[in-house]
Amino acid sequence: MADMDVGALRPPLIAGHKTLAQVTEDVCAPMDGRPTALWWIGLAISVLALSLGVAAVWYMFVTGIGTWGLNRTVGWALAITNFVFWIGIGHAGTLISAILFLLRQRWRTSVNRAAEAMTIFAVICAAIFPVIHMGRAWLAYWMFPVPNMRGSLWVNFLSPLMWDVFAISTYFTISLVFWYVGLIPDLATVRDRIRGNGPRKRLFSFFSLGWSGSARTWHHYEAVYLLLAALGTPLVISVHSIVSMDFATSLIPGWHTTIFPPYFVAGAIFSGMAMVLTLMLVARKTMRLEDYITLRHVDVMTKFVLFTGSLVGLAYGTEFFIAFYSGNPYEQFAYTNRAFGPFGWAFAIMVICNVVLPQLFWSKRVRTNLAVVFVISLCVNVGMWFERFVIIVTSLHRDYLPSSWADYTPTMIEYATLIGSFGLFFTCFLLFCRFLPMIAIGEVKSVVAHDARSTGGPR
Amino acid sequence: MTGRIVTIILSVGLALGATLLATRASAIRLTGIHQGYEPVQPIAFSHRLHAGDLQVPCLYCHSGAGSSRYAGIPAVTTCMNCHRFVTTTFGAVRAEDDLARQENRKPRLLISPELQKLYDALGIDPVSGLPAPDKTPSPIAWVKVHNVPAFTYFDHRGHVTAGVPCQQCHGPVETMERVRQVETLSMGWCVNCHRQVNRTGVGGKRVNASIDCVTCHY
Amino acid sequence: MPTQNRKRYWKSREERDGAPDPAATDREFFDTPAVTGAAYTTRRGFLTAAGFGLAGAALSSCSRAPVVQAIPYLVQPEEVTPGRPYFYASTCGGCSAGCGLIVRNRDGRPVKLEGNPDHPASRGGLCAAGQASILGLYDSQRLTAPMRDGQRASWADVDGAIRTTLDDIRTQGGAVRFLTGTVTSPTVRSLIGAFLKPFPNARHVAYDALSTSALLDACEQTHGARVLPRLRFDRAEVIVSFDADFLGTWISPVEYTVGYSAGRTLRGDPPRLSYHAQFESRMSLTGGRADWRIALAPAEIGIVIGHLAERLARMADMPLAPGALPPAPVPAARLDELADRLWRARGRSLVVCASQDTSLQVLCNAMNHAVGAYGTTIDVERPSYQRAGNDRDLEALRDELSAGGVAALFIAGVNPVYDLPDGDGLAQALRTVPLVISFADHVDETSSVARYVCPDRHFLECWSDTEAVAGVVSLTQPVIRPLGESRQLIESLAVWSGAPMSACDLVRAHWTQQIYPRRRTDAPFRDFWERAVHDGVVEVTPDAPAVRPFGEAARGVMVPEAPPLPDGDFALVLYPTVGMLDGRHAHNPWLHELPDPTTKVTWDNYASFSPEAAGRIGIADGDVVRLESSDGLTGATKVIELSAHLQPGQHDRVVAVALGYGRMGTDRFAKVGPQWIEGRTTVGTNGLIGVSAAGFRTLANGVLRDTGRLVRVTKTGRTRPLAATQSHHMIAVPAALAPAGGARRPIVEETTLAAYVKDPTAGSLGHAEPTADLWPPDHPYTGHRWAMVVDLNACTGCAACVIGCQVENNVPVVGRDEVRRHREMHWIRIDRYYADGDDGGVDVIHQPMLCQHCEHASCEVVCPVLATVHSSEGLNQQIYNRCVGTRYCANNCPYKVRRFNWFDYPREDRLQNLVLNPDVVVRSRGVMEKCSMCIQRIQNARIEAARLGQPLGPNAVETACQQSCPARAITFGDANDPESPVSQARTSPRYFRVLAELNVKPAVGYLRLVRHRPEDGGERRHG
């Protein structure tokens, strides 16, 4: 992992010798005053994309799943790709907020708030797809063990889809609570800054649950926060492992692989980190948070990307080796077909973006060149989306019986749905930047207050 | 102050809602379940009279139950087997006879308005028993009481063969003036009965009531 | 006949499943209203009942039950209990083969056609077209009333007008011509004769759109009677076929398949198998089954016939000199071997030929005579009447018409304007004929130019009879009250000749006078008739024309000189498809969507090229090519444009195009599938299904030819992808991606007779099926255990099972675009693979693939809502109304046999909905469906057995696919009953299970394919 021990010559986490008051000012700046034109443009585009997606989904509901490019052989494609992609994005948030907290990684303070928000929005985006991909989505509630008059006809706990239902709902709940608890002190800060007794003030006072900022409150708060972190940590591992079992427990060559759980978790954190990078780089530019999200943060996160990217690369290699080593012709074909078959181009994109490009981060010059970092982080996001696409589609479209082989081309309805999910995500995120402190003021202060030589976490 | 007002309003509303819910709760049931359904029929046919007092066996009219998926509703000609002769209540016939004797004329043939509908359906003249030129035969549109969803295949044959009494599913029809759906006819109700008879048997006879899905759904 | 009763319909719940609303049906059944209060389809029923559950729950607190009316009979017919199926024996009118039928009736309407096992020719088999022909009964575009000058008219007017005109013609002695297809009905034949008698100048002209005229002419030359000899494939041990697709479309495929499969079942010790050699230009269904298949150009076939005839003549020292022949395009050694085979199997060998060259047919007769086929494998004493067309008469009639010498023309059962090369010219000629009466039941190319159209009835509404084979007379009885005011041909004739009579009486009368005297029993006529009506068929003494033994006729017969094939040109081969035949089934969506057994293409005809040829002229699958050909006689140039299809095993210089497409009225299918934003129409650029290739036929010198035209092929640069259900055609994976040694997938096992004799398990690919199991068996199967075995050696791939399943299980039609998107809905499909055969030829493998009902079903574990679970009797149950449509089961199915309802498939045609099987739910949008092993039949058989207090016999349940298989390739039954046929089959050394190595333990197994080849022929392809 990144800097475990605290060196003497370590530059401060927060640049520009901020006073505590300045911190509050800087972070809250975007929240008071009119939003910038940039923000408006961003929101407009996002809402447009969102409404496009809503229209597409509505049309699909009225007409039928047939409006997607699926067929008797390829029963899952873009929808499930998006689902896995978004769930993956979410992971970085939980990782940063929970695991790094437990590991006393104090640099996380600048990014954890945004990362957690990202997690929640990503999980919302993800959760939509398993529902709409159903042939009869209006019966989705049958996925829950509800009492009924069908002679105690219940759900099938053997089905990985069932596990998904539980995993994702748990994940969402924990993430939400964790994020909210983290927000409380800052909500209070904002509350206190608001003059007058307008509705905004009342809102913030309500949600800050009468936070007083006394030592006792802080004590309780940190106890709770620590517990939640401990609760959240296993989820980082479990959720994507379970998602990966949607594929690993099947018997389709290319899906039926024991390596999937760790491979998916690594991939998830990989894509999540990349997404955090992307968002943070934009945020620090547009919201003038350069002092809080410093090159050091970027540097640490790029190292994360490099590490997890290499893990993913290793996983790719292992898959191919196992296929070759297994001597199972179906397995072997699945992978040759994946690399050189009709969807070879997708495979190429995936390898270049996920394995090759991140390797550039070995060089310090690349890590410090924000433009390059931004581009690479974008590429990684693209690559990780394609990874899911490749795993799902190339495995399905040519399985056991050659007679049933089929191709797959997405319809415009599917593309629109994909765009819509991004629209939803960015709409939520932009609103978040505007109306909530996107940096954990309280925690950052804890880092600013002491100089870099002190040890111990934000306590 | 305001807070208290809010509290009062809320609590009152809650109380009202609860009482309303409680009153309607009896009527709340899952969709497609019509327990207690008792539609008005085109002819005020009394199962109490026929199946109860007169002891007409169910399969006399619903003859399909033994041999077909459907119990079936008797053809008008089946009704006519009796009602060719029985055209109104005994009391009315008596009264008419007395009246006729007093006025010393031949007693008129009385036909109760309900039974008249049978003759109309067949399009025959009750007195002559011949097709009436002015009437066109048209079947009687009874209202189906016991409906199972279209994706469920219930087969009377199997149940009648196994010796399941009709009342098991249709309730005490012989006591009903107008037939009413007594049971829920829900899947759970079916399955539980199947489970039970596999243990207890039907009328002392061991049965094998399958609880495979395809027993009813295909 | 219950359908003769004026019955009132008890309206069953089942009939509501897609049944018409009263408004619609009242019009269709005159006084037999099928009335109901709630006429919503099951699918809608689904959504209302199952869907929107929570909302529903809330609402239903104030909801009331839907008012469903139950309307009983007014007068209960004795023999009818509502809801019980009734079966009537009849005769199929799908083509002129006249197979025996068992019609399944429910509540007064036929819902399924199946083969009649008692029929001596078809023996319970029924082809795809025959089974699908039930849909024609419920065709909403059938003519329901006579037409005069294209206007709807009343019978009274039409009859009056026609009779007066006919009287004039009779007095003036004008020429009257009665043009029909082959009339297999003795009654109809004699009544036409009687009808024409009063006219001084009248003739009955019969022709077959798929002509075999030369075959009959040859028989006339060699045996003195113009008959179609009956081919006894069941007695043949060596079969040589020249371009005859006798298992697919040639004359009487079901009868031939039944016989052929008898010879293809391993029997005796050492096991024997008939040997089949096929010489053909295109890849036909029959060619795919051949042990030795050689692709030849049409002209070369004659040469090979000549060479073979020469050899056999030498062996039998017959005076036969087929002229100076060019060298044979086949290795002489192989020809010697073949001749030797034929000779050694004297009396058990058979040569068939579909050529329209009389001289070649005569040579084949000579060969058959040489090998003593007559009297054994060929029966001329008891010939077939399935083909009687005479192209010479047809040609004469055409000339007569163009000369304008015909006063009245009756056209029944044929569509000459479509069938014949110069259709437009003929149409012009018909317009000049004073009186043209068509009996067509649709507005088609011919009836649209006819003065009067007097629609004949669908054969399920008819009283008629059929003598397919001399001495085998079968009856056709009506199984439903006629829909519409159509009138049977013979009734019309009776009216016009002044003696109106019902068809029933006419048939009875003819039987009293003609059939009954030929009886073999001494039963009184009434019993004789009753029995015939009950059995559907009766055997009487044949009254075939006398034949003389094969004489010297063949002496001096020469193989005709074939014009050389100019470079760059292709020899055109026109052929019928299993579904469309000559185009008579063009209004049947089932048959349009039926994948062609060989090419797997639906909803189109196309120009087939060999891959080499395609490479040479640089075209790929789906490229639109222009076929251009100038008529040798008139010099007129004909052009059609079609998508190209690459067909392995086809001759390099041949382009093959299917007949029967581009029929008028097929524009009705433009919107047959679901309509959505990216959906495409089903019809082609011409607004029809496919393109008519009839223009390329030639009618000259007394024969109607489909082959031999030279065509020039040019690319148009456009492409129109074909809708094929299979996109990868080889059993081997693409070489570029093939793992070492894993190129050929071990899915189909095959071996050779030689290897099989040595070791019955030869050819086993040794699927490593795990024996040890971590878990205790979770399915005890204490009662029945349903299982199926498919004999790949018997299966010809004829696709009868596909249609049988579609009819039985209400499988929807999805249209061309959906098929192109690989969303066809068929529950049973026939996988067709190509493999390298011997002599660099191509082997074809047909493998029927349906739900394998696995014991360890991979679909069952992954369904989150338990919509697919295992039954206690080994069935993999799919519960539609529990399914939420995650499609995980389909993804996880290694056989890809699950079908998803991507849309609400159109079921607006309420009349057509009457064909729906009331015992099977119509699935809604968004649910998965698949083969249920005809569970409705199993349940019914079980309950009936219980009702009658009998045990469920080993053959009590027959699945739809099994029942109508002409080759008897499918065995279904209780694997727990050691006596049952299926248990026997499962112990066969040829038994194997597909993908057994996955340990899914399928309940469906297969019997290995055995080719009659030298050992290496098979061993080479193993491992």
Side-chain angles (χ1 to χ4, degrees), chain A residues 124-154:
Chain A
I124 291 171
C125 290
I128 289 169
F129 286 99
V131 176
I132 65 171
H133 99 290
M134 285 187 190
R136 303 200 293 169
W138 50 89
L139 297 177
Y141 71 95
W142 283 358
M143 301 282 284
F144 297 99
V146 288
N148 57 59
M149 297 183 70
R150 302 190 190 90
S152 69
L153 174 59
W154 238 19

Side-chain angles (χ1 to χ4, degrees), chain C residues 282-320:
Chain C
R282 63 182 191 93
M283 173 62 87
S284 75
L285 175 64
T286 311
R289 295 288 298 133
D291 300 304
W292 181 39
R293 179 184 173 279
I294 290 285
L296 301 172
E300 296 171 335
I301 288 177
I303 298 168
V304 173
I305 290 177
H307 279 282
L308 196 61
E310 211 168 30
R311 282 171 168 73
L312 285 169
R314 221 181 301 115
M315 293 171 165
D317 56 42
M318 274 169 58
L320 191 67

Side-chain angles (χ1 to χ4, degrees), chain A residues 177-241:
Chain A
V177 173
F178 199 43
W179 181 64
Y180 175 61
V181 170
L183 260 172
I184 292 173
D186 297 2
L187 291 177
T189 321
V190 179
R191 173 198 61 194
D192 302 341
R193 294 178 75 257
I194 299 168
R195 287 167 207 74
N197 196 2
R200 184 146 170 272
K201 175 121 184 166
R202 284 216 216 90
L203 207 65
F204 273 91
S205 3
F206 178 80
F207 280 107
S208 50
L209 306 176
W211 174 271
S212 65
S214 68
R216 216 160 136 276
T217 337
W218 271 108
H219 180 71
H220 288 311
Y221 164 80
E222 280 168 2
V224 170
Y225 199 79
L226 186 65
L227 285 176
L228 281 174
L231 269 177
T233 308
L235 285 177
V236 180
I237 310 302
S238 71
V239 174
H240 226 57
S241 304

Side-chain angles (χ1 to χ4, degrees), chain A residues 59 61 66 68 70-72 75-76 133 135-136 156 159 246 250-252 336 399-400 403-405 412, chain C residues 677-678 727 737 745 821-824 829 831 861-864 883-888 891-892 896 925:
Chain A
Y59 180 73
F61 269 135
W68 292 355
L70 307 169
N71 55 47
R72 52 141 208 250
W76 288 349
H133 99 290
R136 303 200 293 169
N156 179 10
S159 167
D246 288 349
S250 81
L251 49 55
I252 300 300
T336 45
D399 65 345
Y400 289 99
S403 66
S404 303
W405 289 3
M412 51 184 168
Chain C
I677 194 162
E678 280 186 31
S727 53
L737 307 174
R745 296 219 153 161
R821 296 171 184 272
H822 302 294
R823 294 175 184 172
E824 71 276 7
R829 64 174 196 264
D831 289 346
V861 283
V862 298
C863 176
C883 177
V884 295
T886 64
R887 300 185 296 291
Y888 198 173
N891 289 342
N892 209 22
K896 290 288 174 281
R925 174 190 130 197

Side-chain angles (χ1 to χ4, degrees), chain C residues 411-604:
Chain C
I411 306 170
V414 284
N415 187 0
V417 175
Y418 172 81
D419 292 333
L420 300 187
D422 184 19
D424 307 342
L426 186 61
Q428 284 305 331
L430 288 182
R431 289 203 184 80
T432 64
V433 177
L435 176 64
V436 178
I437 300 174
S438 163
F439 296 92
D441 59 359
H442 278 91
V443 176
D444 62 23
E445 291 80 353
T446 306
S447 60
S448 55
V449 296
R451 181 85 198 282
Y452 298 99
V453 185
C454 305
D456 198 352
R457 283 181 181 163
H458 189 275
F459 67 87
L460 291 172
E461 305 166 325
C462 283
W463 272 107
S464 182
D465 53 3
T466 304
E467 189 166 10
V469 175
V472 177
V473 192
S474 58
L475 263 179
T476 305
Q477 62 173 316
V479 289
I480 187 172
R481 294 188 69 84
L483 312 169
E485 302 167 39
S486 54
R487 189 170 69 186
Q488 250 181 275
L489 168 67
I490 50 177
E491 286 173 337
S492 299
L493 295 186
V495 169
W496 299 336
S497 50
M501 249 173 111
S502 80
C504 183
D505 299 341
L506 287 165
V507 175
R508 276 183 74 109
H510 181 264
W511 274 52
T512 12
Q513 296 149 13
Q514 303 297 329
I515 310 296
Y516 182 58
R518 292 161 55 189
R519 70 187 179 281
R520 291 200 176 135
T521 64
D522 49 6
F525 176 74
R526 198 168 177 291
D527 303 1
F528 178 77
W529 173 259
E530 297 285 327
R531 183 118 296 274
V533 173
H534 175 273
D535 298 350
V537 60
V538 55
E539 296 211 46
V540 296
T541 37
D543 62 344
V547 293
R548 60 174 150 74
F550 186 93
E552 298 292 299
R555 183 198 288 276
V557 173
M558 298 281 179
V559 173
E561 284 292 324
L565 194 56
D567 285 352
D569 278 12
F570 284 84
L572 179 68
V573 172
L574 303 174
Y575 65 95
T577 63
V578 166
M580 287 300 113
L581 297 176
D582 57 1
R584 68 181 66 203
H585 297 298
H587 283 272
N588 192 317
W590 286 341
L591 292 174
H592 276 299
E593 195 152 301
L594 176 71
D596 179 276
T598 310
T599 66
K600 294 295 159 194
V601 178
T602 65
W603 285 111
D604 241 332

Side-chain angles (χ1 to χ4, degrees), chain A residues 1-7 10 99-107 296 300 303-304 452 454-456:
Chain A
M1 299 290 276
D3 48 1
M4 276 305 294
D5 63 320
V6 184
R10 182 168 299 287
I99 295 188
L100 297 192
F101 176 79
L102 295 179
L103 296 175
R104 307 274 186 271
Q105 294 301 312
R106 277 148 57 239
W107 60 269
R296 169 124 176 263
V300 175
K303 285 177 182 161
F304 245 109
S454 72
T455 53

Side-chain angles (χ1 to χ4, degrees), chain C residues 199-501:
Chain C
F199 297 94
N201 173 9
R203 197 157 7 99
H204 175 191
V205 178
Y207 81 96
D208 298 296
L210 306 174
S211 174
T212 56
S213 200
L215 179 54
L216 279 71
D217 296 341
C219 198
E220 190 170 23
Q221 283 185 32
T222 56
H223 290 82
R226 195 172 186 285
V227 290
L228 172 73
R230 184 175 182 203
L231 306 175
R232 302 301 303 268
F233 286 91
D234 50 336
R235 299 176 182 168
E237 289 184 13
V238 177
I239 299 162
V240 179
S241 161
F242 293 97
D243 228 4
D245 182 15
F246 57 85
L247 297 176
T249 53
W250 193 60
I251 302 181
S252 181
V254 170
E255 175 188 352
Y256 297 160
T257 307
V258 170
Y260 181 82
S261 58
R264 297 300 283 188
T265 46
L266 289 151
R267 63 204 186 287
D269 184 31
R272 294 205 321 284
L273 202 63
S274 68
Y275 180 82
H276 171 197
Q278 181 90 359
F279 300 87
E280 60 181 8
S281 315
R282 63 182 191 93
M283 173 62 87
S284 75
L285 175 64
T286 311
R289 295 288 298 133
D291 300 304
W292 181 39
R293 179 184 173 279
I294 290 285
L296 301 172
E300 296 171 335
I301 288 177
I303 298 168
V304 173
I305 290 177
H307 279 282
L308 196 61
E310 211 168 30
R311 282 171 168 73
L312 285 169
R314 221 181 301 115
M315 293 171 165
D317 56 42
M318 274 169 58
L320 191 67
L325 294 164
V330 185
R334 297 291 312 254
L335 272 185
D336 295 337
E337 184 209 336
L338 185 62
D340 187 47
R341 274 185 187 278
L342 283 164
W343 181 249
R344 269 191 282 106
R346 280 191 301 285
R348 303 188 311 280
S349 51
L350 171 62
V351 179
V352 295
C353 174
S355 166
Q356 278 289 73
D357 273 311
T358 315
S359 50
L360 291 184
Q361 292 288 2
V362 170
L363 285 174
C364 287
N365 290 6
M367 282 192 264
N368 280 321
H369 175 66
V371 298
Y374 288 104
T376 54
T377 56
I378 302 183
D379 195 342
V380 273
E381 281 74 21
R382 301 173 82 254
S384 296
Y385 296 142
Q386 294 153 327
R387 284 278 198 283
N390 187 332
D391 295 348
R392 198 166 284 100
D393 298 357
L394 176 65
E395 196 179 1
L397 176 62
R398 185 190 61 184
D399 301 342
E400 259 186 309
L401 285 166
S402 41
V406 177
L409 178 65
F410 298 80
I411 306 170
V414 284
N415 187 0
V417 175
Y418 172 81
D419 292 333
L420 300 187
D422 184 19
D424 307 342
L426 186 61
Q428 284 305 331
L430 288 182
R431 289 203 184 80
T432 64
V433 177
L435 176 64
V436 178
I437 300 174
S438 163
F439 296 92
D441 59 359
H442 278 91
V443 176
D444 62 23
E445 291 80 353
T446 306
S447 60
S448 55
V449 296
R451 181 85 198 282
Y452 298 99
V453 185
C454 305
D456 198 352
R457 283 181 181 163
H458 189 275
F459 67 87
L460 291 172
E461 305 166 325
C462 283
W463 272 107
S464 182
D465 53 3
T466 304
E467 189 166 10
V469 175
V472 177
V473 192
S474 58
L475 263 179
T476 305
Q477 62 173 316
V479 289
I480 187 172
R481 294 188 69 84
L483 312 169
E485 302 167 39
S486 54
R487 189 170 69 186
Q488 250 181 275
L489 168 67
I490 50 177
E491 286 173 337
S492 299
L493 295 186
V495 169
W496 299 336
S497 50
M501 249 173 111

Side-chain angles (χ1 to χ4, degrees), chain C residues 6 16 45 79 133 136 140 154 184 202 263 552 580 631 658 802 883 992:
Chain C
R6 308 193 136 235
R16 208 168 64 227
E79 65 284 349
S133 59
S140 51
S154 79
T184 50
E552 298 292 299
M580 287 300 113
D631 191 327
V802 179
C883 177
F992 74 96

